Amino acid sequence: MTTKYKFPESFFWGASTSATQSEGRVEGDNKGENIWDYSSKEYNHRFFDGVTTEKTSLFYQDYKEDIDRMADIHFNSFRTSISWSRLIPDGVGEINEQAVEFYNNVIDNLIAKGIEPFINLYHFDMPMKLQEKGGFENREIIKAYKSYAETCFELFGDRVKYWFTFNEPMIPAEAGYLHDRHYPYVVDFKRAATVLHHTILAHCEAVDSYRKKGLDGKIGIIMDVIPVYPRSQNSADVKAGNMADLFYTRSLNEPILLGKYPEELIDILKEHDQLPDVEKNDLELIKQTAVDILGINYYKPRRVKAKDYEINKNGIFSPEWFFDNYEMPGRRMNTSRGIEIYPKGIYDIAMMIKEKYGNIDWFVSENGIGIQEEEKFIENGQVNDEYRIDFLKEHLIWVKKAMDEGSNCLGFHMWTFVDCWSWINAYKNRYGFYRLDLETGEKTLKKSGEWFKTVIDKNGF
Ligand code: BGP
């Protein structure tokens, strides 16, 4: 069969996961608690079927076999994160030697199998001890994060060549401090803005530390640079779209990728008394910091319309004062996850990166489809997930088109490798190339995993 969509020889193929979602905990591992260990226990009703972080996918104990499983389907790269609270149980201070050994083993095993480790430092998982002191709301966190990042560079920087400071830094601010989805379940825009500002500064400090160490590798960040689609070209809809873009995308992309907060945002926040405290050197630091590589997580587009009703502006300030989310009639849905499927979005992102953000090197760091009750699709012991193959094909075709038009896309990582635990949804929706049997811990390759192997072998399909 001919390969219609051919990717470059050097293309990164693999999958991504995160520490908290995959490692699990075993007795005596000396891991410190993080906000997910805590909230999945204390706010158990908020998690699907009440599943906590205790057992998540068992990567801590199965890492050797799991890396063999990756090699079996010919991955040449894999992203996971380091768990801050595993490495430094109190967030600052003493290092957990068992964690050092674990991460060394993971990195060494990956390299031995020809799989490039992509290591992320923070995937939503604040150590509980630091959350108790205010987490990202407390400016002190910048120092703590910088020191944690430096510890990681020192311990693993000789072998890890691709580092990432944060995964989707907007989420902890937005879900944890504005929309009541993640712990600490605060609803307060100014506090969310403070969290975001401190996160950006922590990112800048870590990049700076990495550069100063003169290590031979690249450092970047993983974000969702979501394209916004207004309902229509009516000026009210377009304006609503611009506001959604300003608050949820440009507020983060521009400081990280252009070195500057958007002026319009500052003006609006000033007008509504929502500006976080900004110290003298903060803006200079943001201006000086540039990344080498960008990871893009893409799941869904953002559709927006003008507000149906004027709202009472005496309440808690919110970006949703300026727009309504829009459910486009006839949109194609992933009903398990309740989100729209729109493969062209990945192409639009690539073009946005090309046009607005200097065509920086990037890769798809997450893309995938979560399906509830996936056991329904088991045939002869294997999940026959044709829908996942179709989903990946469609997205890859758009990635390829963007590359043909000059986008510097370096690879594609599927979310995820083995079905993993998720924030809020726990094990409700399955995303993996391998199915995890929650009862037995057994991991079996799905049809999509077999298909992905053929794609890697041919560098295309
Ligand atoms: C991304 C996160 C991942 C993963 C994924 C799927 O935003 O970076 O950690 O969870 O979404 O999300 P969910 O499992 O909630 O459907």
Side-chain angles (χ1 to χ4, degrees):
M1 252 195 8
T2 54
T3 310
K4 187 166 173 200
Y5 303 99
K6 186 90 183 151
F7 291 80
E9 287 301 316
S10 59
F11 206 65
F12 288 115
W13 295 106
S16 50
T17 190
S18 82
T20 301
Q21 293 177 271
S22 64
E23 288 177 2
R25 288 174 285 159
V26 301
E27 233 182 88
D29 63 6
N30 285 341
K31 182 186 174 304
E33 200 177 38
N34 68 28
I35 56 172
W36 294 99
D37 304 322
Y38 174 81
S39 62
S40 65
K41 230 171 38 213
E42 298 300 318
Y43 297 83
N44 194 252
H45 59 282
R46 284 178 174 258
F47 293 82
F48 187 80
D49 273 350
V51 181
T52 66
T53 55
E54 201 75 42
K55 279 177 71 177
T56 63
S57 306
L58 311 173
F59 188 64
Y60 188 76
Q61 68 176 50
D62 289 355
Y63 71 89
K64 271 202 200 95
E65 295 79 4
D66 277 352
I67 292 169
D68 287 346
R69 289 183 179 100
M70 293 175 206
D72 284 348
I73 53 171
H74 300 178
F75 280 11
N76 63 16
S77 49
F78 170 67
R79 167 170 66 109
T80 189
S81 62
I82 290 174
S83 161
W84 187 349
S85 64
R86 183 183 292 288
L87 190 66
I88 308 175
D90 290 343
V92 285
E94 212 170 312
I95 294 175
N96 171 10
E97 288 306 330
Q98 287 185 60
V100 176
E101 193 187 329
F102 168 63
Y103 290 118
N104 271 330
N105 287 339
V106 168
I107 292 162
D108 292 345
N109 272 268
L110 285 168
I111 293 171
K113 295 278 176 181
I115 301 170
E116 187 76 52
F118 281 37
I119 300 295
N120 172 32
L121 295 172
Y122 189 89
H123 199 123
F124 308 168
D125 50 353
M126 178 62 69
M128 204 54 209
K129 284 273 196 290
L130 296 180
Q131 186 63 39
E132 283 161 5
K133 294 183 189 151
F136 271 108
E137 252 189 288
N138 180 346
R139 220 185 141 93
E140 286 293 303
I141 198 72
I142 301 168
K143 219 165 70 200
Y145 175 85
K146 180 183 165 86
S147 146
Y148 156 64
E150 284 175 349
T151 304
C152 293
F153 301 149
E154 280 154 25
L155 287 168
F156 314 116
D158 56 333
R159 287 151 294 151
V160 174
K161 305 294 177 201
Y162 291 88
W163 287 98
F164 300 90
T165 55
F166 285 89
N167 177 78
E168 297 183 2
M170 177 60 81
I171 295 294
E174 180 262 311
Y177 291 83
L178 189 61
H179 288 153
D180 188 41
R181 292 190 290 125
H182 293 179
Y183 188 79
Y185 310 122
V186 170
V187 179
D188 183 322
F189 182 89
K190 194 170 180 174
R191 290 174 67 182
T194 303
V195 165
L196 193 67
H197 181 57
H198 290 164
T199 305
I200 292 169
L201 295 175
H203 156 83
C204 293
E205 290 286 5
V207 171
D208 186 50
S209 292
Y210 187 73
R211 305 256 183 256
K212 286 196 174 124
K213 291 205 178 297
L215 286 159
D216 160 35
K218 294 186 186 302
I219 188 158
I221 187 165
I222 288 157
M223 307 214 286
D224 38 355
V225 178
I226 305 180
V228 176
Y229 304 97
R231 172 178 54 185
S232 75
Q233 288 308 303
N234 178 298
S235 60
D237 282 340
V238 171
K239 193 169 164 208
N242 289 342
M243 291 305 260
D245 195 35
L246 182 64
F247 276 101
Y248 288 120
T249 306
R250 293 176 53 207
S251 58
L252 181 66
N253 294 350
E254 294 194 8
I256 298 279
L257 299 171
L258 301 179
K260 201 171 171 297
Y261 284 113
E263 294 290 345
E264 304 99 286
L265 183 67
I266 296 174
D267 292 345
I268 296 171
L269 297 192
K270 258 192 204 146
E271 185 190 331
H272 295 280
D273 189 25
Q274 297 295 323
L275 210 55
D277 289 338
V278 175
E279 291 190 3
K280 212 169 103 240
N281 296 325
D282 291 359
L283 300 180
E284 196 46 42
L285 178 64
I286 291 172
K287 195 167 148 199
Q288 283 165 14
T289 310
V291 292
D292 305 315
I293 181 169
L294 184 63
I296 293 290
N297 295 349
Y298 178 66
Y299 292 92
K300 59 171 196 278
R302 190 190 299 285
R303 295 196 192 274
V304 164
K305 62 179 180 180
K307 286 203 82 67
D308 281 341
Y309 306 102
E310 196 48 55
I311 45 121
N312 175 359
K313 293 195 172 153
N314 293 324
I316 297 174
F317 178 82
S318 167
E320 282 75 17
W321 281 9
F322 306 99
F323 65 89
D324 279 346
N325 288 312
Y326 175 53
E327 294 188 0
M328 186 176 72
R331 69 199 176 131
R332 183 174 151 203
M333 289 291 288
N334 168 7
T335 47
S336 300
R337 186 62 178 79
I339 57 178
E340 184 182 340
I341 299 174
Y342 186 63
K344 179 173 177 283
I346 195 76
Y347 167 84
D348 291 339
I349 292 171
M351 291 302 117
M352 194 202 304
I353 295 172
K354 186 174 166 207
E355 279 145 30
K356 274 191 74 178
Y357 302 118
N359 208 11
I360 184 174
D361 282 350
W362 70 285
F363 70 109
V364 179
S365 43
E366 286 181 29
N367 177 232
I369 180 164
I371 300 291
Q372 190 168 5
E373 293 171 10
E374 205 172 35
E375 54 280 5
K376 282 195 306 223
F377 299 95
I378 295 179
E379 290 168 12
N380 305 320
Q382 185 181 45
V383 178
N384 184 359
D385 53 348
E386 288 289 347
Y387 42 85
R388 183 165 287 112
I389 297 174
D390 291 343
F391 179 97
L392 291 178
K393 272 187 190 164
E394 285 182 90
H395 283 80
L396 280 165
I397 289 170
W398 281 110
V399 171
K400 175 73 173 104
K401 177 172 161 58
M403 292 169 72
D404 290 345
E405 291 174 25
S407 170
N408 293 322
C409 180
L410 306 183
F412 185 92
H413 282 176
M414 150 84 169
W415 185 270
T416 185
F417 166 56
V418 172
D419 290 341
C420 70
W421 184 88
S422 162
W423 336 102
I424 306 175
N425 285 322
Y427 279 97
K428 172 173 167 276
N429 301 320
R430 304 307 189 92
Y431 282 88
F433 280 136
Y434 282 84
R435 175 166 175 84
L436 173 70
D437 183 321
L438 276 185
E439 303 290 309
T440 61
E442 202 191 349
K443 296 167 180 173
T444 43
L445 189 61
K446 300 179 192 175
K447 187 111 181 258
S448 59
E450 279 176 1
W451 174 79
F452 200 61
K453 178 179 168 188
T454 67
V455 174
I456 300 174
D457 289 347
K458 291 190 290 188
N459 259 314
F461 58 97

